[in-house]
């Protein structure tokens, strides 16, 4: 078994050196590197597709599930989309250097919070090669060095893409260590990397729950978690006149992503008793027609007898499939309490015409995104106008919900005096 | 040995319930509770002093060091100061509910980041009873429930103050569990509390380095660290005309806190060779005259032979005393590299008349506070205009440097549509 200590500390040390330079690099230079990277992706198309073919062959041979193989697959259109995504990041406003807040104190001393890069980011992600390109470009834009550790099924594709990134960065006269890809799929490296808190400032784990739990357990570096979502929609008693909109939002929230296997798909509907009487059966019928299996409590089954009975375990389940739990509640407060108890604080919404109900729901539901009369599927960096996102944080500290380039920054206090003393 | 699991989960559960209510409590009610708390401190003066006398007697009997006993001591003036500090927090602007950022998307959907409390905060702190009052008031103002665990020497004083806080909160019709004081000094409770990540959202440990390291090791809750500071001042080559100012800032940064035992006192001076020739000896003489022991490299000793020789270990030492390390550097970049290598990223400053040098220093030194021509001792919540501070974060995520009430908040995304779909 190899000793990963040297490799892990080397990754950290190189990342730190690159980060210190990147922190004071002007945007024109960073954007130039990112634009060259996009060019390189287009010019390196043949190499990328060849590497991807190796990954696909191994995945087929290893019996990887069909949807995961599709996620892994690259083709001309996907490489074009990847390059365009990277170009969009190059054109974004640089968050670094912005003054977030400033005051001049009575003594004349100026106090500013100024946005700066975090430093070195360690990023774990699923086997989706386009994420390698997005993450490299987002970290570069925000002045961070990144250490990438993608899913093992994508190792050849990721290596091809990261090599192109490093070359583009060097061509722009920046340190190519700004983007480092972990060159092994050996899991023994992971806990060793997670102890490099002198050199790595932030870990972002994306992917399966067990990976994220292991990262939280093993890391002495701060972690921004990206757990999946047990999302709810509450259908309030005030829905007269918006019945069709309610049905459309419910159906869209559940079914707009193929197979429902996405963190911002709705998993549970809570109907106020009065809304249930008029809308529950119609909503269930619309969902059933799209192939959604419904599990319901007894009050809901009385209105839609085709539903299967829900058990207590259903309420805390994130199905990630075309399955949906339905419950009837007696009040908005019961809905809020249910969401705060069983939910995962990712994305929850209300459908209502009543402003007081919407305000109550918004202020009392403790979730990263709270949707009012909108699909839960809109909880997403692109929909929020952030551009590409590095993930959706379910943590409360630092960044919550969809994270864009500016969420990869922190601030420093810059204090300017003319000999000020205490 | 008692089993602390029940007590720890009870503290968490009660905190969570209080936090859910506080999150939607209007500022008038929170300010009322805080003002009643200040009143209660004044009216409960006799009880507080009596409890403090018990702590002091035990501390004397246990042989606690004199400065720590002084820190523990309350008297009429200190109780008045405590009550006034609490009243100031009551009058601060409520950070909760502020819209940090908002956009209306092309589709007409409104997307806002809205400031909300973090939830339940677990706060460890040194044996300084006034911190109990400040922390209770700051957390209440920012809508958070807090679990307080102060130093064991202050247990009676803290209990008296926390009891007054809980009564004031109940009088304002808020849940008195908003402020809970841990009722034991048994250290075995600590690791159990640190595993309550379902109910506790944030841990802030303040105090000795070993406590903070133990918290980071044992916690599965996010931690905002408050390590102490190895602070530097760099005296640039461009100091013609500001010589006296340079000396005053150096002396103030080192000596304005009694004994120098404070995290924002300067620990090391780095002189550019050209500045050293004109200023090093005068600066050292001024420091020596105040009783500061100087440890210097050979170039500095050539100019101030009374200095003791510094060893490599000095550069990473935080003396927390009237001891200071001095080094001569050949360039601003050598100073920046030294600070980024040996410093603790707390507070570092430059003294210079040259704008390019100041800009270079500000953008390249990776510290929470970077001071330009100002004393390091000004790195402080009050000096920055934050009002009372809960501590000075040496972390990069979430909050960096001095933390006030608004740093005890996070945000949620509030998305308002009229049936928007994806």
């Amino acid at each position: 078994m190899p000793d990963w200590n040297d490799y892990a500390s080397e990754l950290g040390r190189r990342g730190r050196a690159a980060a210190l330079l990147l922190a004071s690099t002007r945007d024109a230079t960073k954007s130039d590197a990112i634009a060259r990277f996009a060019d390189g992706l287009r010019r390196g198309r043949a190499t990328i597709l060849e590497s991807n073919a190796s990954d696909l062959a191994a995945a087929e041979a290893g019996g990887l599930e069909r949807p995961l193989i599709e996620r892994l697959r690259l083709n001309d259109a996907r490489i074009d989309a990847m390059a365009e995504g990277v170009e969009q990041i190059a054109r974004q406003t640089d968050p670094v250097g912005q003054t977030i807040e400033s005051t001049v104190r009575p003594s004349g001393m100026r106090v500013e919070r100024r946005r700066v890069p975090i430093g070195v980011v360690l990023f774990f992600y699923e086997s989706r090669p386009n994420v390698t390109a997005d993450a490299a470009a987002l970290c570069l834009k925000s002045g961070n060095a990144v250490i990438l550790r993608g899913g093992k099924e994508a190792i050849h594709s990721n290596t091809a893409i990261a090599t192109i990134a490093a070359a583009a960065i060097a061509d722009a006269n920046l340190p190519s260590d700004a983007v480092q890809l972990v060159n092994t799929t050996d899991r023994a490296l992971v806990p060793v990397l997670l102890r490099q808190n002198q050199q790595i400032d932030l870990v972002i784990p994306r992917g399966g729950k067990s990976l994220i739990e292991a990262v939280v357990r093993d890391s002495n570096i701060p972690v921004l978690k990206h757990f999946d979502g047990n999302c709810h929609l509450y259908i309030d008693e005030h829905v007269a006149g918006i019945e069709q909109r309610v049905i459309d939002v419910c159906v869209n929230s559940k079914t707009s992503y193929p197979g429902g296997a996405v963190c911002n798909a709705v998993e549970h509907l809570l109907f106020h008793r009065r809304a249930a009487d008029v809308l529950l059966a119609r909503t269930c019928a619309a969902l059933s027609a799209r192939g959604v299996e419904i599990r319901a409590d007894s009050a809901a089954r009385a209105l839609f007898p085709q539903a299967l009975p829900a058990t207590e375990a259903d309420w805390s389940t994130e199905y990630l499939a075309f399955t949906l739990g339905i419950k009837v509640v007696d009040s908005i407060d019961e809905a809020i309490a249910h969401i705060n108890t069983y939910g995962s604080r990712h994305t929850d919404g209300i459908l209502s015409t009543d402003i007081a109900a919407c305000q109550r729901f918004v202020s009392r539901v403790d979730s990263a995104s709270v949707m009012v009369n909108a699909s839960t599927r809109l909880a997403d960096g692109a929909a929020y106008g952030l551009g590409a996102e590095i993930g959706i944080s379910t943590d409360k500290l630092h960044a919550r919900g969809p994270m864009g380039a500016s969420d990869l920054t922190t601030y420093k206090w810059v204090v300017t005096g003319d000999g000020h003393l205490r």
Side-chain angles (χ1 to χ4, degrees), chain A residues 249-260:
Chain A
V249 169
C250 291
V251 170
N252 182 268
S253 296
K254 186 67 215 175
T255 65
S256 60
Y257 189 86

Side-chain angles (χ1 to χ4, degrees), chain A residues 67-81:
Chain A
L68 297 181
I69 289 182
E70 285 317 308
R71 213 161 73 164
L72 179 59
R73 187 182 304 283
L74 291 177
N75 53 33
D76 275 338
R78 287 185 175 182
I79 290 178
D80 285 336

Side-chain angles (χ1 to χ4, degrees), chain A residues 118 121-124 201-207 212 215-216 219 221-227 390-401 403-404 407-409:
Chain A
I118 291 173
V121 177
L122 170 60
F123 183 44
F124 293 93
D201 298 296
L202 172 64
V203 184
I204 303 179
R206 234 169 77 167
I212 298 172
V215 167
V216 170
S219 181
I221 306 165
V223 179
L224 267 182
K225 294 180 283 295
H226 290 68
F227 281 124
I390 192 109
I392 300 184
S393 163
T394 54
D395 267 325
K396 286 184 163 184
L397 292 196
H398 187 73
R400 203 176 182 197
M403 286 180 69
D407 298 300
L408 290 171
T409 63

Side-chain angles (χ1 to χ4, degrees), chain A residues 289-330:
Chain A
R290 300 290 198 103
V292 176
E293 174 189 301
I294 293 174
R295 305 193 188 170
D297 71 351
S298 56
R301 291 184 75 213
L303 296 163
F304 187 73
Q306 303 91 307
L308 301 171
T311 65
E312 173 68 14
D314 275 292
W315 307 129
S316 41
T317 298
E318 182 188 16
Y319 303 110
L320 288 173
F322 269 20
T323 304
L324 183 74
I326 298 195
K327 185 179 169 74
V328 174
V329 295
D330 285 322

Side-chain angles (χ1 to χ4, degrees), chain A residues 27 31 34 83-94 141:
Chain A
D27 184 43
S31 300
I34 301 170
E84 275 156 31
V86 168
E87 275 160 355
Q88 274 173 25
I89 293 169
R91 286 192 299 268
Q92 279 184 24
T93 306
D94 185 356
K141 185 74 189 189

Side-chain angles (χ1 to χ4, degrees), chain A residues 335-395:
Chain A
I336 292 167
H338 180 98
I339 293 169
N340 286 336
T341 304
Y342 295 99
S344 60
R345 302 182 180 169
H346 188 294
T347 300
D348 300 284
I350 180 173
L351 296 162
S352 175
T353 60
D354 184 63
I355 187 167
C358 294
Q359 287 171 336
R360 190 173 187 86
F361 190 88
V362 163
S363 75
R364 302 200 170 205
V365 165
D366 185 20
S367 300
S369 289
V370 183
M371 318 302 283
V372 176
N373 296 322
S375 170
T376 57
R377 290 272 296 120
L378 290 163
D380 168 272
Y384 287 3
L386 302 181
E389 73 185 18
I390 192 109
I392 300 184
S393 163
T394 54
D395 267 325

